[in-house]
Amino acid sequence: MTTATDHQRMEKIVSLCKRRGFIFQAAEIYGGLNGVWDFGPLGVELKRNLKDYWWRVMVRERDDVVGLDGSILTHRAVLKASGHEDTFSDPMSTCKHCKRLQRADQIWPQIEQSDWYDALAEMFALGRLDTPNLQRWAETKGRRDAPNLAIVRNFPVTLSWLSERLERTGGGAELPMREFVQHLATEQFNQTGLVTPCPHCGGELTEPRPFNLMFRTNMGASGDDETSIAYLRPETAQSIFVQFKNVLDTARKKLPFGIAQIGKAFRNEINPRNYIFRSREFEQMELEYFCAPEDGMRLLDYWLEERLRFYENIGIPRAKLHVLTVPDADRAFYSKGTYDIEYEFPFGVQELEGVAYRTDYDLTQHQNASGKPLEYFDEETKAKFVPHVVEPSAGVDRTVLALICEAFAEETVTDEKGKSETRTVMRFHPRIAPVKVGVFPLLKNKPDLVAKAREVHALLKPHMMTFYDEAGAIGRRYRRQDEAGTPFGLTIDFETLGERGDELRDTVTLRHRDSMQQERVKIADLLGKLLPQVM
RNA sequence: GCGGGUGUAGCUUAAUGGUAAAGCUGUAGCCUUCCAAGCUACUGACGAGGGUUCGAUUCCCUUCACCCGCUCCA
C-alpha cells in the first residue's frame, strides 16, 4: 500500500530530479508531451552508467553473449509474425455507464456468457419474448444483472421503439438474437442508432475506437499507402530473433549462447503513469539466451539469480526486490515460466524486469513467416532443432527511477552551534553515480590553490566523471554535490601546497558523501584509490 | 478513455478585476583556512488558446500537462 508519506516522498524526488537536472518533461516549454521525458545532464550520466554496467557484465565479461544494435524502424512483417500487429490493433469500446474499457471484438462472446443474457436467450429460443415476459424480466433479473440496459432503465420508451421496429420488419421472427438484444439496449434509436450493450452492466458502449499500442509510421516518398507502413519497435527483442541466423553464422558461437541489446522501444500506452515509470518512449536492456529445449527451465532460474545479483551490485538491496512467479493464467501462452523482478517504489511494488522462458515460439514464428530456416545443428548429437530462449528483459528508465528512489535520503544534521538542518543526499552506489568526484580549491581567491586544484582535476578527468567547483564556501559546494549524489569530494588546501610541512605536501582532503568523514590522501594515490570503487 | 485534484520564477509560498511580492536556489563580484556563513548586484513566473470586460493571473469556456482512483499494461 502506498501512503501519504510515500506520495510526499515521491513529490520530493520529482522536484529534486528537475532542480538538479536529472529528468525534465519533454517539450516542457510547449506544455509537455504526455508520457515522454528527457534526461538532463545528471540523468544521462546515471542512465549511461547503468547501461554501461549492464553491457559490461552481460556481454563483455561473458564468453557466451554477443551484442546487437538493431533498427528502431521495423518491417511490418516482423511484427505480424511476432503477433504484435494482431494483438495490438484491437478496437476498444468504453461503457458510458460503468466506464469499463473493453475489446470490441470480445463484446458479444462476453454478453453471451453474462448472467443477464441467459434468460433472454431462453425466452428468445422459445418464442416468448413478449411484453409481459420482458417486463417481468426487466423488473427482476434485468434490474439485478444489467441495471443500465435501456429496457431496464426505461421500459416504456424502449418498448415503443422495439414495437415500431417489429412492425416494420413484419414481426420478430426474422430478427436475429443479437439484433434483438441491441434493440433492448437502445433507448433513443433516432439519436444513437442500434446500441451494443456493455456485457457487465448493459449500458451503452461508445463506438469502437482503434487502439494500437504500436506507433505506426510511413516509409518512403510514396507516402501513406498500405505498403509503406512500418512500425517503431515495441520491444528490442524482435530484431534479435530476426537476426539470429546472421549472428549464428558470423559470431562462431555454440549453444547455449545469448544476444544482447540495449535500445529504445515505443508503446502507445493508454495511460502513462507514475513519473517516468510507464513512458511511451523508453529504453530496454534485453538478452535473448538461446539454448537446447531441455535446458530452458534450468536457465530460467539461473538468469533470475544473475539478474538479482546485478541489482544488488548497483545498490538496490535484495530486501527491496520482490520476485513474482507469474501464474499460468497471466503468462503469455508460449511461455513455460516467467519471473517478474519487482522493486518497492514509493508508489507501490512494480516490475523492473521480466525473466521469461519463451520456448521456441519467436524463432518458429519467424521461420514459418519468412520461410527461412532458423534451426541449429548440434555437431555432437547430430540433432537439428529450433533453439529455445530465455529472456531477461529489463527496463532502463524504470531501473533509473528505482536507483533514484533508493538513493534519495533526507537527514537531519546538527552543526557545532547546535543548529540543525536537513541534508538532502543521493546515496548512489559509486559505480552508477552520475559524477564520481568533485574537485574544489578551498578558497577561490588564492591563485596557488586554484592552480593546484585544476591540476588535480586534469589528472582525474580522463578516468571518471568529475566536477570542478570554486564558487562560494566549501561547505556549500559539498552540500551541492550531496544532492547530485557525488560520492567523493577532493579539497585542495594550504597543506597541499606544503605550508604545513613537507609531510602533507601534495596531499588532499578526501571527503566521503555518506559519512561526511574526511581523510588525507596523496595526490599520487588518488586514481588507485578511487578507480576501483567507481568501476 | 472515465472520474477527482492541481497548474504564479528552478524550488517553496504570497497578493490582486487595474504596475505580480518574498524567501531559498542560480549567476557575477567582494569576503571566506573544511560542511548550504556574510555583503552587493543581477537573471527569472501567472501552462496554452479563446471569450466576457475599458482592462483578466483573477470570472467563463476549451485545451495541454502533472498527481490520485478506475482501466490498461502482448
mmCIF file of all heavy atoms in Angstrom, chain A residues 43-86:
data_model
loop_
_atom_site.group_PDB
_atom_site.id
_atom_site.type_symbol
_atom_site.label_atom_id
_atom_site.label_comp_id
_atom_site.label_asym_id
_atom_site.label_seq_id
_atom_site.Cartn_x
_atom_site.Cartn_y
_atom_site.Cartn_z
ATOM 1 N N GLY A 43 21.008 13.097 -15.232
ATOM 2 C CA GLY A 43 20.212 11.909 -15.573
ATOM 3 C C GLY A 43 20.875 11.071 -16.653
ATOM 4 O O GLY A 43 20.888 9.837 -16.579
ATOM 5 N N VAL A 44 21.437 11.744 -17.636
ATOM 6 C CA VAL A 44 22.032 10.999 -18.746
ATOM 7 C C VAL A 44 23.284 10.267 -18.278
ATOM 8 O O VAL A 44 23.556 9.144 -18.720
ATOM 9 C CB VAL A 44 22.337 11.930 -19.945
ATOM 10 C CG1 VAL A 44 23.463 12.890 -19.655
ATOM 11 C CG2 VAL A 44 22.660 11.108 -21.183
ATOM 12 N N GLU A 45 24.024 10.833 -17.344
ATOM 13 C CA GLU A 45 25.210 10.146 -16.811
ATOM 14 C C GLU A 45 24.799 8.899 -16.026
ATOM 15 O O GLU A 45 25.383 7.830 -16.169
ATOM 16 C CB GLU A 45 26.015 11.090 -15.909
ATOM 17 C CG GLU A 45 26.699 12.235 -16.635
ATOM 18 C CD GLU A 45 27.763 11.795 -17.639
ATOM 19 O OE1 GLU A 45 28.342 10.702 -17.461
ATOM 20 O OE2 GLU A 45 27.992 12.536 -18.604
ATOM 21 N N LEU A 46 23.771 9.089 -15.187
ATOM 22 C CA LEU A 46 23.267 7.973 -14.394
ATOM 23 C C LEU A 46 22.800 6.835 -15.294
ATOM 24 O O LEU A 46 23.141 5.660 -15.092
ATOM 25 C CB LEU A 46 22.113 8.480 -13.521
ATOM 26 C CG LEU A 46 21.376 7.478 -12.646
ATOM 27 C CD1 LEU A 46 22.319 6.879 -11.617
ATOM 28 C CD2 LEU A 46 20.194 8.148 -11.950
ATOM 29 N N LYS A 47 22.022 7.199 -16.301
ATOM 30 C CA LYS A 47 21.465 6.216 -17.213
ATOM 31 C C LYS A 47 22.572 5.508 -17.990
ATOM 32 O O LYS A 47 22.544 4.288 -18.168
ATOM 33 C CB LYS A 47 20.519 6.945 -18.171
ATOM 34 C CG LYS A 47 19.619 6.057 -18.964
ATOM 35 C CD LYS A 47 18.700 6.938 -19.800
ATOM 36 C CE LYS A 47 17.743 6.112 -20.619
ATOM 37 N NZ LYS A 47 16.916 6.943 -21.494
ATOM 38 N N ARG A 48 23.536 6.287 -18.437
ATOM 39 C CA ARG A 48 24.643 5.707 -19.191
ATOM 40 C C ARG A 48 25.457 4.753 -18.316
ATOM 41 O O ARG A 48 25.864 3.682 -18.770
ATOM 42 C CB ARG A 48 25.532 6.837 -19.720
ATOM 43 C CG ARG A 48 26.718 6.350 -20.504
ATOM 44 C CD ARG A 48 27.154 7.381 -21.518
ATOM 45 N NE ARG A 48 26.083 7.641 -22.492
ATOM 46 C CZ ARG A 48 26.241 8.384 -23.587
ATOM 47 N NH1 ARG A 48 27.395 8.948 -23.834
ATOM 48 N NH2 ARG A 48 25.246 8.568 -24.416
ATOM 49 N N ASN A 49 25.692 5.135 -17.068
ATOM 50 C CA ASN A 49 26.436 4.254 -16.168
ATOM 51 C C ASN A 49 25.708 2.924 -15.974
ATOM 52 O O ASN A 49 26.326 1.862 -15.927
ATOM 53 C CB ASN A 49 26.651 4.926 -14.813
ATOM 54 C CG ASN A 49 27.619 6.089 -14.908
ATOM 55 O OD1 ASN A 49 28.389 6.192 -15.868
ATOM 56 N ND2 ASN A 49 27.578 6.981 -13.933
ATOM 57 N N LEU A 50 24.389 3.005 -15.866
ATOM 58 C CA LEU A 50 23.592 1.787 -15.709
ATOM 59 C C LEU A 50 23.733 0.892 -16.941
ATOM 60 O O LEU A 50 23.983 -0.309 -16.835
ATOM 61 C CB LEU A 50 22.124 2.169 -15.488
ATOM 62 C CG LEU A 50 21.130 1.007 -15.521
ATOM 63 C CD1 LEU A 50 21.374 0.051 -14.364
ATOM 64 C CD2 LEU A 50 19.696 1.521 -15.500
ATOM 65 N N LYS A 51 23.582 1.502 -18.104
ATOM 66 C CA LYS A 51 23.639 0.717 -19.338
ATOM 67 C C LYS A 51 25.039 0.143 -19.549
ATOM 68 O O LYS A 51 25.194 -1.006 -19.971
ATOM 69 C CB LYS A 51 23.238 1.589 -20.538
ATOM 70 C CG LYS A 51 21.771 1.949 -20.545
ATOM 71 C CD LYS A 51 21.351 2.566 -21.854
ATOM 72 C CE LYS A 51 21.847 3.984 -21.995
ATOM 73 N NZ LYS A 51 21.349 4.624 -23.232
ATOM 74 N N ASP A 52 26.049 0.973 -19.262
ATOM 75 C CA ASP A 52 27.429 0.502 -19.432
ATOM 76 C C ASP A 52 27.722 -0.685 -18.524
ATOM 77 O O ASP A 52 28.394 -1.631 -18.925
ATOM 78 C CB ASP A 52 28.430 1.635 -19.131
ATOM 79 C CG ASP A 52 28.483 2.652 -20.265
ATOM 80 O OD1 ASP A 52 27.889 2.384 -21.325
ATOM 81 O OD2 ASP A 52 29.110 3.709 -20.089
ATOM 82 N N TYR A 53 27.225 -0.609 -17.294
ATOM 83 C CA TYR A 53 27.493 -1.706 -16.372
ATOM 84 C C TYR A 53 26.765 -2.978 -16.815
ATOM 85 O O TYR A 53 27.311 -4.079 -16.747
ATOM 86 C CB TYR A 53 27.091 -1.321 -14.935
ATOM 87 C CG TYR A 53 27.427 -2.391 -13.933
ATOM 88 C CD1 TYR A 53 28.752 -2.757 -13.695
ATOM 89 C CD2 TYR A 53 26.435 -3.064 -13.234
ATOM 90 C CE1 TYR A 53 29.078 -3.754 -12.804
ATOM 91 C CE2 TYR A 53 26.743 -4.061 -12.327
ATOM 92 C CZ TYR A 53 28.060 -4.403 -12.116
ATOM 93 O OH TYR A 53 28.377 -5.398 -11.233
ATOM 94 N N TRP A 54 25.555 -2.816 -17.279
ATOM 95 C CA TRP A 54 24.792 -3.966 -17.795
ATOM 96 C C TRP A 54 25.540 -4.601 -18.959
ATOM 97 O O TRP A 54 25.736 -5.813 -19.029
ATOM 98 C CB TRP A 54 23.404 -3.496 -18.249
ATOM 99 C CG TRP A 54 22.443 -4.595 -18.639
ATOM 100 C CD1 TRP A 54 21.557 -5.219 -17.812
ATOM 101 C CD2 TRP A 54 22.260 -5.171 -19.942
ATOM 102 N NE1 TRP A 54 20.821 -6.143 -18.527
ATOM 103 C CE2 TRP A 54 21.248 -6.140 -19.835
ATOM 104 C CE3 TRP A 54 22.856 -4.958 -21.184
ATOM 105 C CZ2 TRP A 54 20.800 -6.896 -20.918
ATOM 106 C CZ3 TRP A 54 22.425 -5.711 -22.267
ATOM 107 C CH2 TRP A 54 21.407 -6.676 -22.124
ATOM 108 N N TRP A 55 25.992 -3.751 -19.886
ATOM 109 C CA TRP A 55 26.691 -4.256 -21.073
ATOM 110 C C TRP A 55 27.978 -4.973 -20.675
ATOM 111 O O TRP A 55 28.338 -5.988 -21.241
ATOM 112 C CB TRP A 55 26.996 -3.088 -22.012
ATOM 113 C CG TRP A 55 27.385 -3.507 -23.392
ATOM 114 C CD1 TRP A 55 28.645 -3.558 -23.905
ATOM 115 C CD2 TRP A 55 26.504 -3.929 -24.447
ATOM 116 N NE1 TRP A 55 28.618 -3.987 -25.208
ATOM 117 C CE2 TRP A 55 27.308 -4.221 -25.571
ATOM 118 C CE3 TRP A 55 25.118 -4.094 -24.550
ATOM 119 C CZ2 TRP A 55 26.776 -4.677 -26.786
ATOM 120 C CZ3 TRP A 55 24.604 -4.538 -25.762
ATOM 121 C CH2 TRP A 55 25.420 -4.825 -26.855
ATOM 122 N N ARG A 56 28.635 -4.400 -19.658
ATOM 123 C CA ARG A 56 29.883 -4.984 -19.197
ATOM 124 C C ARG A 56 29.667 -6.387 -18.639
ATOM 125 O O ARG A 56 30.348 -7.332 -19.044
ATOM 126 C CB ARG A 56 30.490 -4.073 -18.122
ATOM 127 C CG ARG A 56 31.819 -4.547 -17.577
ATOM 128 C CD ARG A 56 32.350 -3.571 -16.543
ATOM 129 N NE ARG A 56 32.728 -4.270 -15.329
ATOM 130 C CZ ARG A 56 32.854 -3.685 -14.150
ATOM 131 N NH1 ARG A 56 32.602 -2.387 -14.019
ATOM 132 N NH2 ARG A 56 33.216 -4.384 -13.108
ATOM 133 N N VAL A 57 28.688 -6.532 -17.731
ATOM 134 C CA VAL A 57 28.531 -7.843 -17.092
ATOM 135 C C VAL A 57 27.754 -8.821 -17.965
ATOM 136 O O VAL A 57 27.929 -10.027 -17.846
ATOM 137 C CB VAL A 57 27.882 -7.755 -15.688
ATOM 138 C CG1 VAL A 57 28.730 -6.904 -14.774
ATOM 139 C CG2 VAL A 57 26.454 -7.248 -15.755
ATOM 140 N N MET A 58 26.902 -8.298 -18.847
ATOM 141 C CA MET A 58 26.074 -9.204 -19.647
ATOM 142 C C MET A 58 26.752 -9.593 -20.957
ATOM 143 O O MET A 58 26.427 -10.627 -21.537
ATOM 144 C CB MET A 58 24.714 -8.559 -19.942
ATOM 145 C CG MET A 58 23.892 -8.236 -18.705
ATOM 146 S SD MET A 58 23.322 -9.698 -17.825
ATOM 147 C CE MET A 58 21.838 -10.082 -18.765
ATOM 148 N N VAL A 59 27.645 -8.745 -21.463
ATOM 149 C CA VAL A 59 28.278 -9.029 -22.752
ATOM 150 C C VAL A 59 29.788 -9.192 -22.603
ATOM 151 O O VAL A 59 30.334 -10.256 -22.851
ATOM 152 C CB VAL A 59 27.974 -7.915 -23.782
ATOM 153 C CG1 VAL A 59 28.616 -8.247 -25.122
ATOM 154 C CG2 VAL A 59 26.464 -7.734 -23.938
ATOM 155 N N ARG A 60 30.470 -8.143 -22.164
ATOM 156 C CA ARG A 60 31.924 -8.131 -22.267
ATOM 157 C C ARG A 60 32.600 -9.101 -21.314
ATOM 158 O O ARG A 60 33.653 -9.639 -21.631
ATOM 159 C CB ARG A 60 32.455 -6.714 -22.035
ATOM 160 C CG ARG A 60 31.986 -5.800 -23.156
ATOM 161 C CD ARG A 60 32.738 -4.515 -23.227
ATOM 162 N NE ARG A 60 32.379 -3.812 -24.461
ATOM 163 C CZ ARG A 60 32.417 -2.493 -24.603
ATOM 164 N NH1 ARG A 60 32.798 -1.739 -23.586
ATOM 165 N NH2 ARG A 60 32.091 -1.949 -25.745
ATOM 166 N N GLU A 61 32.025 -9.305 -20.141
ATOM 167 C CA GLU A 61 32.666 -10.205 -19.195
ATOM 168 C C GLU A 61 32.202 -11.657 -19.373
ATOM 169 O O GLU A 61 32.565 -12.516 -18.582
ATOM 170 C CB GLU A 61 32.413 -9.733 -17.751
ATOM 171 C CG GLU A 61 33.144 -8.437 -17.443
ATOM 172 C CD GLU A 61 32.990 -7.966 -16.010
ATOM 173 O OE1 GLU A 61 32.263 -8.614 -15.229
ATOM 174 O OE2 GLU A 61 33.592 -6.940 -15.686
ATOM 175 N N ARG A 62 31.414 -11.900 -20.398
ATOM 176 C CA ARG A 62 30.954 -13.265 -20.635
ATOM 177 C C ARG A 62 31.496 -13.776 -21.964
ATOM 178 O O ARG A 62 31.679 -13.016 -22.913
ATOM 179 C CB ARG A 62 29.420 -13.311 -20.677
ATOM 180 C CG ARG A 62 28.740 -12.932 -19.379
ATOM 181 C CD ARG A 62 27.260 -13.212 -19.499
ATOM 182 N NE ARG A 62 27.014 -14.641 -19.552
ATOM 183 C CZ ARG A 62 26.557 -15.352 -18.524
ATOM 184 N NH1 ARG A 62 26.299 -14.776 -17.376
ATOM 185 N NH2 ARG A 62 26.361 -16.645 -18.664
ATOM 186 N N ASP A 63 31.720 -15.078 -22.034
ATOM 187 C CA ASP A 63 32.177 -15.667 -23.295
ATOM 188 C C ASP A 63 31.007 -16.120 -24.154
ATOM 189 O O ASP A 63 31.181 -16.461 -25.310
ATOM 190 C CB ASP A 63 33.071 -16.879 -23.002
ATOM 191 C CG ASP A 63 34.292 -16.489 -22.205
ATOM 192 O OD1 ASP A 63 34.824 -15.382 -22.443
ATOM 193 O OD2 ASP A 63 34.697 -17.274 -21.324
ATOM 194 N N ASP A 64 29.817 -16.155 -23.560
ATOM 195 C CA ASP A 64 28.689 -16.775 -24.261
ATOM 196 C C ASP A 64 27.619 -15.774 -24.684
ATOM 197 O O ASP A 64 26.486 -16.169 -24.971
ATOM 198 C CB ASP A 64 28.065 -17.866 -23.370
ATOM 199 C CG ASP A 64 27.598 -17.306 -22.033
ATOM 200 O OD1 ASP A 64 27.957 -16.144 -21.709
ATOM 201 O OD2 ASP A 64 26.889 -18.018 -21.309
ATOM 202 N N VAL A 65 27.956 -14.479 -24.701
ATOM 203 C CA VAL A 65 26.973 -13.483 -25.132
ATOM 204 C C VAL A 65 27.648 -12.492 -26.079
ATOM 205 O O VAL A 65 28.766 -12.048 -25.829
ATOM 206 C CB VAL A 65 26.377 -12.719 -23.926
ATOM 207 C CG1 VAL A 65 25.440 -11.605 -24.409
ATOM 208 C CG2 VAL A 65 25.607 -13.671 -22.995
ATOM 209 N N VAL A 66 26.956 -12.183 -27.172
ATOM 210 C CA VAL A 66 27.426 -11.139 -28.085
ATOM 211 C C VAL A 66 26.347 -10.063 -28.180
ATOM 212 O O VAL A 66 25.201 -10.279 -27.781
ATOM 213 C CB VAL A 66 27.722 -11.712 -29.498
ATOM 214 C CG1 VAL A 66 28.903 -12.655 -29.445
ATOM 215 C CG2 VAL A 66 26.493 -12.400 -30.073
ATOM 216 N N GLY A 67 26.732 -8.902 -28.723
ATOM 217 C CA GLY A 67 25.801 -7.779 -28.768
ATOM 218 C C GLY A 67 25.181 -7.575 -30.135
ATOM 219 O O GLY A 67 25.607 -8.153 -31.130
ATOM 220 N N LEU A 68 24.155 -6.735 -30.133
ATOM 221 C CA LEU A 68 23.488 -6.366 -31.381
ATOM 222 C C LEU A 68 22.886 -4.978 -31.178
ATOM 223 O O LEU A 68 22.509 -4.616 -30.068
ATOM 224 C CB LEU A 68 22.365 -7.376 -31.700
ATOM 225 C CG LEU A 68 21.604 -7.169 -33.011
ATOM 226 C CD1 LEU A 68 22.450 -7.627 -34.185
ATOM 227 C CD2 LEU A 68 20.277 -7.929 -32.997
ATOM 228 N N ASP A 69 22.848 -4.213 -32.259
ATOM 229 C CA ASP A 69 22.134 -2.943 -32.208
ATOM 230 C C ASP A 69 21.201 -2.896 -33.406
ATOM 231 O O ASP A 69 21.592 -2.515 -34.496
ATOM 232 C CB ASP A 69 23.132 -1.771 -32.218
ATOM 233 C CG ASP A 69 22.424 -0.436 -32.034
ATOM 234 O OD1 ASP A 69 21.261 -0.438 -31.568
ATOM 235 O OD2 ASP A 69 23.013 0.604 -32.343
ATOM 236 N N GLY A 70 19.979 -3.284 -33.191
ATOM 237 C CA GLY A 70 19.004 -3.387 -34.281
ATOM 238 C C GLY A 70 18.330 -2.048 -34.553
ATOM 239 O O GLY A 70 18.395 -1.119 -33.751
ATOM 240 N N SER A 71 17.670 -1.982 -35.686
ATOM 241 C CA SER A 71 16.997 -0.735 -36.065
ATOM 242 C C SER A 71 15.717 -0.552 -35.257
ATOM 243 O O SER A 71 15.102 -1.509 -34.792
ATOM 244 C CB SER A 71 16.665 -0.751 -37.558
ATOM 245 O OG SER A 71 15.644 -1.699 -37.813
ATOM 246 N N ILE A 72 15.341 0.695 -35.125
ATOM 247 C CA ILE A 72 14.093 1.021 -34.445
ATOM 248 C C ILE A 72 12.923 0.897 -35.413
ATOM 249 O O ILE A 72 11.864 0.360 -35.081
ATOM 250 C CB ILE A 72 14.184 2.444 -33.843
ATOM 251 C CG1 ILE A 72 15.101 2.429 -32.610
ATOM 252 C CG2 ILE A 72 12.803 2.968 -33.488
ATOM 253 C CD1 ILE A 72 15.424 3.784 -32.049
ATOM 254 N N LEU A 73 13.117 1.381 -36.633
ATOM 255 C CA LEU A 73 12.093 1.195 -37.667
ATOM 256 C C LEU A 73 12.020 -0.282 -38.005
ATOM 257 O O LEU A 73 13.034 -0.916 -38.279
ATOM 258 C CB LEU A 73 12.462 2.009 -38.912
ATOM 259 C CG LEU A 73 12.314 3.519 -38.761
ATOM 260 C CD1 LEU A 73 12.912 4.233 -39.966
ATOM 261 C CD2 LEU A 73 10.848 3.905 -38.584
ATOM 262 N N THR A 74 10.818 -0.801 -37.965
ATOM 263 C CA THR A 74 10.660 -2.241 -38.051
ATOM 264 C C THR A 74 9.739 -2.631 -39.197
ATOM 265 O O THR A 74 8.655 -2.068 -39.361
ATOM 266 C CB THR A 74 10.096 -2.786 -36.716
ATOM 267 O OG1 THR A 74 10.954 -2.361 -35.664
ATOM 268 C CG2 THR A 74 10.032 -4.295 -36.725
ATOM 269 N N HIS A 75 10.191 -3.603 -39.983
ATOM 270 C CA HIS A 75 9.409 -4.168 -41.074
ATOM 271 C C HIS A 75 8.093 -4.706 -40.528
ATOM 272 O O HIS A 75 8.057 -5.396 -39.523
ATOM 273 C CB HIS A 75 10.220 -5.309 -41.699
ATOM 274 C CG HIS A 75 9.739 -5.731 -43.054
ATOM 275 N ND1 HIS A 75 8.471 -6.208 -43.271
ATOM 276 C CD2 HIS A 75 10.363 -5.734 -44.265
ATOM 277 C CE1 HIS A 75 8.328 -6.488 -44.556
ATOM 278 N NE2 HIS A 75 9.465 -6.205 -45.187
ATOM 279 N N ARG A 76 7.052 -4.359 -41.234
ATOM 280 C CA ARG A 76 5.726 -4.768 -40.778
ATOM 281 C C ARG A 76 5.618 -6.285 -40.610
ATOM 282 O O ARG A 76 4.980 -6.778 -39.675
ATOM 283 C CB ARG A 76 4.694 -4.293 -41.794
ATOM 284 C CG ARG A 76 3.287 -4.447 -41.305
ATOM 285 C CD ARG A 76 2.325 -3.925 -42.352
ATOM 286 N NE ARG A 76 0.962 -4.028 -41.855
ATOM 287 C CZ ARG A 76 -0.099 -3.712 -42.588
ATOM 288 N NH1 ARG A 76 0.054 -3.283 -43.824
ATOM 289 N NH2 ARG A 76 -1.303 -3.828 -42.083
ATOM 290 N N ALA A 77 6.262 -7.015 -41.519
ATOM 291 C CA ALA A 77 6.162 -8.480 -41.490
ATOM 292 C C ALA A 77 6.724 -9.054 -40.192
ATOM 293 O O ALA A 77 6.246 -10.074 -39.691
ATOM 294 C CB ALA A 77 6.885 -9.068 -42.698
ATOM 295 N N VAL A 78 7.744 -8.384 -39.643
ATOM 296 C CA VAL A 78 8.352 -8.856 -38.393
ATOM 297 C C VAL A 78 7.317 -8.861 -37.278
ATOM 298 O O VAL A 78 7.179 -9.828 -36.521
ATOM 299 C CB VAL A 78 9.544 -7.956 -38.003
ATOM 300 C CG1 VAL A 78 10.025 -8.278 -36.600
ATOM 301 C CG2 VAL A 78 10.671 -8.086 -39.023
ATOM 302 N N LEU A 79 6.568 -7.771 -37.196
ATOM 303 C CA LEU A 79 5.626 -7.628 -36.090
ATOM 304 C C LEU A 79 4.305 -8.337 -36.370
ATOM 305 O O LEU A 79 3.516 -8.576 -35.457
ATOM 306 C CB LEU A 79 5.423 -6.145 -35.792
ATOM 307 C CG LEU A 79 6.735 -5.509 -35.307
ATOM 308 C CD1 LEU A 79 6.691 -4.004 -35.381
ATOM 309 C CD2 LEU A 79 7.057 -5.973 -33.891
ATOM 310 N N LYS A 80 4.099 -8.672 -37.624
ATOM 311 C CA LYS A 80 2.975 -9.537 -37.964
ATOM 312 C C LYS A 80 3.293 -10.950 -37.472
ATOM 313 O O LYS A 80 2.499 -11.581 -36.798
ATOM 314 C CB LYS A 80 2.796 -9.556 -39.484
ATOM 315 C CG LYS A 80 1.383 -9.314 -39.952
ATOM 316 C CD LYS A 80 1.383 -9.392 -41.485
ATOM 317 C CE LYS A 80 0.087 -9.021 -42.114
ATOM 318 N NZ LYS A 80 -0.550 -7.787 -41.857
ATOM 319 N N ALA A 81 4.508 -11.407 -37.803
ATOM 320 C CA ALA A 81 4.914 -12.765 -37.432
ATOM 321 C C ALA A 81 4.996 -12.928 -35.916
ATOM 322 O O ALA A 81 4.627 -13.959 -35.359
ATOM 323 C CB ALA A 81 6.262 -13.089 -38.064
ATOM 324 N N SER A 82 5.466 -11.886 -35.230
ATOM 325 C CA SER A 82 5.628 -11.983 -33.778
ATOM 326 C C SER A 82 4.280 -11.968 -33.066
ATOM 327 O O SER A 82 4.195 -12.293 -31.883
ATOM 328 C CB SER A 82 6.476 -10.817 -33.276
ATOM 329 O OG SER A 82 5.769 -9.606 -33.432
ATOM 330 N N GLY A 83 3.251 -11.544 -33.778
ATOM 331 C CA GLY A 83 1.926 -11.483 -33.184
ATOM 332 C C GLY A 83 1.553 -10.102 -32.677
ATOM 333 O O GLY A 83 0.431 -9.879 -32.243
ATOM 334 N N HIS A 84 2.496 -9.156 -32.751
ATOM 335 C CA HIS A 84 2.220 -7.826 -32.208
ATOM 336 C C HIS A 84 1.136 -7.081 -32.989
ATOM 337 O O HIS A 84 0.303 -6.414 -32.399
ATOM 338 C CB HIS A 84 3.489 -6.977 -32.197
ATOM 339 C CG HIS A 84 4.433 -7.371 -31.117
ATOM 340 N ND1 HIS A 84 5.393 -8.347 -31.289
ATOM 341 C CD2 HIS A 84 4.577 -6.937 -29.851
ATOM 342 C CE1 HIS A 84 6.081 -8.485 -30.180
ATOM 343 N NE2 HIS A 84 5.608 -7.646 -29.282
ATOM 344 N N GLU A 85 1.177 -7.194 -34.309
ATOM 345 C CA GLU A 85 0.233 -6.379 -35.074
ATOM 346 C C GLU A 85 -1.215 -6.769 -34.772
ATOM 347 O O GLU A 85 -2.062 -5.910 -34.586
ATOM 348 C CB GLU A 85 0.499 -6.489 -36.568
ATOM 349 C CG GLU A 85 -0.312 -5.471 -37.345
ATOM 350 C CD GLU A 85 -0.004 -5.480 -38.837
ATOM 351 O OE1 GLU A 85 -0.486 -6.387 -39.534
ATOM 352 O OE2 GLU A 85 0.694 -4.568 -39.295
ATOM 353 N N ASP A 86 -1.462 -8.060 -34.707
ATOM 354 C CA ASP A 86 -2.836 -8.501 -34.448
ATOM 355 C C ASP A 86 -3.250 -8.246 -33.010
ATOM 356 O O ASP A 86 -4.365 -7.818 -32.737
ATOM 357 C CB ASP A 86 -2.975 -9.995 -34.766
ATOM 358 C CG ASP A 86 -2.841 -10.238 -36.260
ATOM 359 O OD1 ASP A 86 -3.120 -9.294 -37.029
ATOM 360 O OD2 ASP A 86 -2.440 -11.337 -36.645
#
